């Protein structure tokens, strides 16, 4: 094995080159999302994300991501209506959720309940456009209901039913908070969903595509992606950002915190991205949304801590191309909306299911099962010995 430039490792016998984390290795072709990490540009199906977040709804964006074109008024009405009709989840899923430990993480509850949908809907016609449409509608419709249901169940309450007169985002906030949300809060939440809906071949989407490539059902595809999103290096970072801001406490302590983190080689949560060398364009919009919320509903002092940390990080980490990512300001927005901290990542999943399903559909359109190779680093052929002759090995 010989290390080459850029962290690559070349296997001498086979000549294969391994790039840790598959950095810079294309693993698929896709027409869904494009990122220019040098300029900080992000587009879905050719539309800049800021334009979509300003002018479209989350369901309109979902339609675009999955079917490739923005819907016309009739298509959007039909899609919204179908989603609205499928928001309810079976009492059997709710009963199953009542058996989950109430102190379990809501991402684990979501992964299990998303997977359970596969028990209810057959996967026989995986390549049938109607099956694909129905699965998309069900998953987009039911994931928010399941997130809200677990929140009430773990508080010892019965989940409340979706309200047909409320649009997608307003209905989720209603099911979660048990009161009709302010229209500005609903609109800002909807924009957050648009910003989180898709981001090319990130870890959870890669996971979704690998799972999809086996031709399993879309509920397993989404469940595998939810499990991947949960990790602190991916979607779980939004929760950790607030824990970090809590730990810093006040804005005047941000620079010292950063110095200590860098000195001890600790990652600063909500900073850095494999694709971006500038501030994540979604962080720019989320910061503006946070300010809009503070102007309307009152300031949050944690925002001062975040801004002080960003300023200090610009000096220390900026030269390395490390800037705030999507998770840095999203938690502050969700906190102001009244969303509990451990639901930040499930909320990310509500949005990202749109991207996962777009990739599921694209993968099915030109499928070949993923089966990469590896560079074997273990022992060469060894002599087997009978149980009674074996000595304790150094590793046990
Ligand atoms: N704080 C301090 N140093 C950092 C950070 C950070 N957040 N991110 C990267 N670095 C440094 C890292 O120490 C390394 O330095 P050196 O070359 O001196 O050893 C260099 O930058 C490259 O880091 P890496 O971990 O190899 O980069 P990566 O592309 O493998 O990882 C990342 C990307 C997002 C996992 C990483 O930046 C990170 O762990 N960030 C903190 C967690 C986080 O905010 N995750 C959310 C990611 S965005 C949304 C999402 O995907 O869900």
């Amino acid at each position: 094995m010989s290390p080459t430039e850029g962290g690559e490792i070349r296997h001498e016998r086979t000549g294969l080159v391994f790039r840790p984390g598959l950095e810079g290795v294309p693993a698929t072709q896709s027409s869904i999302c494009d990122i220019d990490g040098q300029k900080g540009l992000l587009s879905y199906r050719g539309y800049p994300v800021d334009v979509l977040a300003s002018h479209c709804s989350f369901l309109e964006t979902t339609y675009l991501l999955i079917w490739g074109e923005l819907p016309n008024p009739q298509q959007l009405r039909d899609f919204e209506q179908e989603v609205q009709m499928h928001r309810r989840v079976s009492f059997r899923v709710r009963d199953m959720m009542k058996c989950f430990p109430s102190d379990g993480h809501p991402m684990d509850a979501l992964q299990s309940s998303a997977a359970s949908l596969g028990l209810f809907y057959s996967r026989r016609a995986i390549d049938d456009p109607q099956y694909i449409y129905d699965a998309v509608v069900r998953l987009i419709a039911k994931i928010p209901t399941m997130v809200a249901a677990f929140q009430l169940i773990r508080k010892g309450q019965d989940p409340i039913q979706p309200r047909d007169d409320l649009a997608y985002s307003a209905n989720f906030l209603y099911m979660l908070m048990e009161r009709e949300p302010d229209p500005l809060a609903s609109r800002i939440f909807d924009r957050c969903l648009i910003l989180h809906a898709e981001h090319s071949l990130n870890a959870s989407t890669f996971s979704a595509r690998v799972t999809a490539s086996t031709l399993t059902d879309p509920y397993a595809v989404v469940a595998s992606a939810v499990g991947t999103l949960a990790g602190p290096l991916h979607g779980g970072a939004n929760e950790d950002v607030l824990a970090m801001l809590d730990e810093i406490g006040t804005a005047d302590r941000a620079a010292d915190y950063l110095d200590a983190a860098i000195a001890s080689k600790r990652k600063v949560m909500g900073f850095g991205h494999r694709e971006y060398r500038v501030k994540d364009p979604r962080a720019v919009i989320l910061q503006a949304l946070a300010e809009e919320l503070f102007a309307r509903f009152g300031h949050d002092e944690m925002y001062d801590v975040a801004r002080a940390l960003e300023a200090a990080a610009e000096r220390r980490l900026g030269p390395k191309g490390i800037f705030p990512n999507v998770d840095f300001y999203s938690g502050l927005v969700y906190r102001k909306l009244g969303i509990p901290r451990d639901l930040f990542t499930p909320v990310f999943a509500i949005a990202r299911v749109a991207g996962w399903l777009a990739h599921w559909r694209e993968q099915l359109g030109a499928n070949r099962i993923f089966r990469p190779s590896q560079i074997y680093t273990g022992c060469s052929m060894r002599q087997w010995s009978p149980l009674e002759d074996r000595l304790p090995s150094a590793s046990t």
Side-chain angles (χ1 to χ4, degrees):
M1 228 76 62
S2 56
T4 65
E5 246 178 70
E8 287 180 348
I9 295 165
R10 186 181 302 280
H11 190 231
E12 270 135 32
R13 180 168 57 85
T14 59
L16 288 173
V17 174
F18 162 53
R19 301 195 70 158
L22 298 184
E23 180 169 2
V25 178
T28 190
Q29 296 192 88
S30 179
S31 61
I32 300 169
C33 168
D34 192 30
I35 301 170
D36 181 335
Q38 301 295 334
K39 294 192 181 137
L41 301 176
L42 168 64
S43 56
Y44 300 163
R45 301 282 191 188
Y47 296 98
V49 74
D50 54 314
V51 172
L52 295 171
S54 299
H55 300 290
C56 293
S57 68
F58 172 66
L59 286 187
E60 209 175 337
T61 307
T62 298
Y63 190 102
L64 168 73
L65 284 168
I66 296 174
W67 285 287
E69 296 296 338
L70 284 166
N72 65 30
Q74 186 59 49
Q75 287 168 324
L76 181 60
R77 267 196 303 277
D78 290 348
F79 185 52
E80 285 172 344
Q81 207 176 6
E82 295 266 4
V83 168
Q84 186 209 81
M85 277 165 46
H86 287 88
R87 281 173 182 168
R88 284 171 175 70
V89 294
S90 159
F91 72 92
R92 286 184 286 188
V93 175
R94 297 201 304 270
D95 284 354
M96 177 189 76
M97 293 172 92
K98 286 178 185 165
C99 299
F100 293 166
S102 58
D103 59 352
H105 196 284
M107 277 301 269
D108 295 325
L110 180 60
Q111 188 183 23
S112 311
S113 39
S116 79
L117 294 178
L119 292 161
F120 296 90
Y121 308 108
S122 135
R123 71 164 162 224
R124 275 194 296 265
I126 193 103
D127 52 355
D128 173 359
Q130 188 61 46
Y131 174 85
I132 293 176
Y133 185 83
D134 291 346
V136 165
V137 164
R138 280 191 201 109
L139 279 157
I140 296 290
K142 292 183 197 304
I143 294 273
T145 309
M146 294 191 297
V147 172
F150 185 65
Q151 170 63 6
L152 294 201
I153 287 170
R154 69 178 173 166
K155 290 197 293 182
Q157 296 170 229
D158 268 330
I160 55 176
Q161 291 296 338
R163 254 184 48 189
D164 288 346
D165 60 320
L166 293 176
Y168 189 82
S169 287
N171 175 62
F172 171 69
L173 293 176
Y174 162 74
M175 290 188 298
L176 193 66
M177 322 269 191
E178 305 167 86
R179 59 170 192 277
E180 200 172 317
D182 179 277
L184 177 72
S186 302
R187 177 62 190 136
I188 286 185
F189 182 73
D190 203 65
R191 295 178 74 183
C192 291
L193 295 185
I194 294 170
L195 295 173
H196 285 84
E198 161 62 7
H199 209 233
S200 79
L201 214 57
N202 54 83
S204 58
T205 303
F206 186 40
S207 176
R209 282 194 86 122
V210 171
T211 310
S213 79
T214 70
L215 302 184
T216 186
D217 69 69
Y219 310 101
V221 169
V222 167
S224 72
V226 170
T228 310
L229 184 69
L233 295 186
H234 192 6
N238 55 13
E239 201 181 319
D240 292 346
V241 167
L242 285 208
M244 177 184 71
L245 296 178
D246 263 346
E247 190 188 333
I248 298 172
T250 51
D252 58 325
R253 296 176 53 188
D256 287 348
Y257 175 91
L258 185 82
D259 289 344
I262 292 172
S264 60
K265 296 203 172 297
R266 249 185 311 133
K267 291 274 179 70
V268 186
M269 300 317 276
F271 281 82
H273 201 284
R274 180 72 62 80
E275 295 286 323
Y276 294 113
R277 291 295 158 260
V278 295
K279 186 168 173 177
D280 186 327
R282 301 165 299 172
V284 175
I285 305 172
L286 284 159
Q287 184 174 4
L289 294 179
E291 287 181 358
E292 208 176 325
L293 279 173
F294 302 149
R296 172 70 177 274
F297 299 111
H299 188 67
D300 182 345
E301 283 170 7
M302 208 180 242
Y303 180 55
D304 303 330
V305 182
R307 283 208 315 180
L309 186 64
E310 183 181 352
E314 194 165 344
R315 289 190 294 276
R316 297 285 321 264
L317 297 175
K320 286 179 80 177
I322 299 167
F323 291 94
N325 59 47
V326 68
D327 290 321
F328 192 60
Y329 286 109
S330 63
L332 286 164
V333 173
Y334 297 150
R335 174 175 142 107
K336 197 69 201 171
L337 290 172
I339 297 171
R341 202 175 282 191
D342 61 0
L343 291 190
F344 294 175
T345 318
V347 162
F348 191 156
I350 290 174
R352 188 54 62 84
V353 73
W356 295 330
L357 290 170
H359 283 269
W360 168 58
R361 191 168 169 264
E362 190 174 63
Q363 183 64 36
L364 292 184
N367 191 51
R368 189 164 187 219
I369 191 167
F370 278 94
R371 207 318 179 181
S373 39
Q374 62 164 19
I375 292 175
Y376 178 65
T377 59
C379 302
S380 48
M381 293 300 172
R382 292 197 280 178
Q383 190 76 38
W384 178 85
S385 53
L387 185 58
E388 58 278 13
D389 294 349
R390 292 177 214 158
L391 298 171
S393 70
S395 60
T396 49

